[in-house]
Amino acid sequence: MTARGIRNNNPLNIRKGNNWQGERHPQTDTAFEEFTSLEMGLRAGFIIIFNYMKKRPPIDTVSAIISRWAPPTENNTQSYINTVCKFASLEPNRKLKRTDKAGLCRLIWGMCYVECGQSISFGRIENAYALAIR
């Protein structure tokens, strides 16, 4: 069976709450956003992370971003961080910037793996990054 995040073109399992560019209409999932394409779902994830980076103090390390994305009240956050870092060859304390395409794409790639249990095409993640920085 296909993972819910893949069916919804939302491999980061973004919860409902915003009006996103590229939302699928009508929405049938009551909890998670549905997008018209995988790239639009990934784009939304990049935008959320860009917003984390604007906070004061910034949420800009791999560990801090994942801790905000997948808080311990809902997840085994440390396991999530460890899995993303191993899968994507990232250090937990690596600082990321909006312009760090390679680091951000690897972060999203690892997060999708944790969320959906499968690897997403890295090219599609790079395409989504290009959409998010416009």
Side-chain angles (χ1 to χ4, degrees), residues 24-36:
R24 184 187 310 159
H25 294 286
Q27 298 263 318
T28 58
D29 191 310
T30 59
F32 295 97
E33 295 285 357
E34 297 172 74
F35 294 94
T36 56

Side-chain angles (χ1 to χ4, degrees), residues 41-58:
L42 293 164
R43 174 192 169 275
F46 279 114
I47 290 171
I48 292 168
I49 291 170
F50 294 161
N51 287 333
Y52 290 174
M53 293 174 169
K54 291 180 196 174
K55 294 193 177 295
R56 295 290 168 238

